[in-house]
Amino acid sequence: MAHIIVVGNEKGGAGKSTVSMHVATALARMGKTVSALDLDLRQKTFGRYSDNRKAFVAKSGVDLPSPFYHELPEVDQSVLDPGENLYDRRLSEAVASLEPDSDFIIIDCPGSHTRLSQVAHSLADTLITPLNDSFVDFDLLAHVDADGRKILGPSVYSEMVWNARQLRAQAGLKPIDWVVVRNRVGAQAMVNKEKMGAALDNLAKRIGFRVASGFNERVIFRELFPRGLTLLDLKDVGVKQLNISNIAARQELRDLILALKLPGIDANF
């Protein structure tokens, strides 16, 4: 059975697709068979990344380990059971077809609440929620008081994850390992950074997730996208010497992969 990784957050601009691209490619470079789905049926950023990567490989002749990207299958309405949702069937058929031959399936969710995203969360063995280091983004997880110190209650996204956990429990599946990834964390020890860290640690204990470090804000991520490349590909495509920023970003990726505690994955990549 494939291990299903869902990358979700109902707020746009949190870095979901960047995390999806780098985690999927890192696993592929470790020799794992990785299948990928993009549930943002309009923008398809993850799908565009995959297309860009294929085009770069074909043009350059450089053989780069890559995830296998798949579109959701089309399903005729006539085959649906009474009351069955079309998107439920499309996603379930996609996952069922990929599971036998995949070590990992990575599902990139849209930055909004959709039926597809809701169902995907209930399938997650590992749920990665990238989160910008801002109380604007934190509000999606929980409401806090004016000082940012007291948690007043869970917010819409946390409630959706709770519902997904309930569905898995009812189906007899193992619990979701939920990892909230702090993205764009400033290097300086600012008050907001400290408050965010304390609030996340407090909330993690209350609703059950782990906190991991993600990526700092770096231009390199935007530069690599048109070629479908990641930080781990740079030497393969002829970059002989990485600058300090690129080296730091590669280490951030290594740290993230290890923090996810995925089955069969160690530090040797």
Side-chain angles (χ1 to χ4, degrees):
M1 294 285 288
H3 186 92
I4 299 177
I5 302 170
V6 173
V7 183
N9 181 333
E10 291 180 6
K11 191 174 190 307
K16 292 184 299 297
S17 295
T18 297
V19 169
S20 296
M21 296 170 198
H22 280 77
V23 171
T25 304
L27 293 174
R29 294 185 70 91
M30 285 183 267
K32 304 298 181 181
T33 301
V34 183
S35 296
L37 297 169
D38 190 342
L39 302 189
D40 189 334
L41 303 184
R42 182 173 176 82
Q43 293 189 14
K44 290 189 178 180
T45 303
F46 196 12
R48 289 291 304 139
Y49 154 76
S50 180
D51 290 343
N52 293 344
R53 190 173 182 85
K54 289 178 182 177
F56 178 85
V57 168
K59 183 177 180 179
S60 67
V62 179
D63 185 17
L64 297 175
S66 304
F68 297 96
Y69 178 76
H70 302 267
E71 299 283 355
L72 291 182
E74 295 295 334
V75 174
D76 193 285
Q77 292 271 6
S78 63
V79 305
L80 299 179
D81 297 327
E84 184 180 14
N85 184 281
L86 174 64
Y87 292 107
D88 291 11
R89 173 67 75 90
R90 293 181 69 188
L91 182 55
S92 62
E93 285 193 4
V95 171
S97 67
L98 298 175
E99 275 199 308
D101 301 315
S102 303
D103 297 313
F104 294 93
I105 300 174
I106 295 188
I107 304 176
D108 188 19
C109 294
S112 60
H113 181 78
T114 67
R115 175 71 183 189
L116 273 175
S117 180
Q118 184 178 1
V119 175
H121 279 67
S122 68
L123 301 177
D125 297 307
T126 298
L127 170 61
I128 305 173
T129 300
L131 189 75
N132 290 332
D133 211 48
S134 160
F135 277 104
V136 174
D137 289 61
F138 185 89
D139 191 65
L140 196 71
L141 296 179
H143 302 303
V144 295
D145 65 4
D147 292 328
R149 299 186 185 280
K150 183 179 180 181
I151 294 173
L152 304 178
S155 194
V156 288
Y157 183 72
S158 296
E159 290 175 352
M160 194 262 279
V161 175
W162 186 86
N163 289 331
R165 284 173 158 168
Q166 293 299 106
L167 289 173
R168 286 181 67 85
Q170 292 168 11
L173 300 174
K174 64 181 181 180
I176 298 171
D177 182 18
W178 186 11
V179 185
V180 173
V181 175
R182 294 182 69 182
N183 269 344
R184 301 188 175 110
V185 179
Q188 297 178 340
M190 296 183 293
V191 174
N192 177 76
K193 179 179 176 181
E194 295 176 357
K195 284 187 176 181
M196 274 290 294
L200 279 172
D201 289 342
N202 186 9
L203 186 62
K205 296 171 185 175
R206 290 182 58 174
I207 64 176
F209 59 76
R210 298 189 290 115
V211 180
S213 297
F215 302 123
N216 286 335
E217 182 68 38
R218 300 184 192 278
V219 176
I220 186 67
F221 295 123
R222 295 189 289 273
E223 292 176 341
L224 292 175
F225 177 82
R227 293 177 289 169
L229 300 179
T230 68
L231 297 162
L232 299 176
D233 302 315
L234 295 180
K235 289 188 177 180
D236 288 344
V237 301
V239 179
K240 294 182 172 56
Q241 187 169 357
L242 303 181
N243 62 37
I244 294 176
S245 177
N246 292 349
I247 293 172
R250 282 170 60 96
Q251 188 58 51
E252 290 167 1
L253 175 57
R254 281 176 158 73
D255 292 344
L256 173 59
I257 294 294
L258 293 179
L260 295 177
K261 299 180 181 178
L262 300 172
I265 300 302
D266 56 30
N268 297 318
F269 72 96

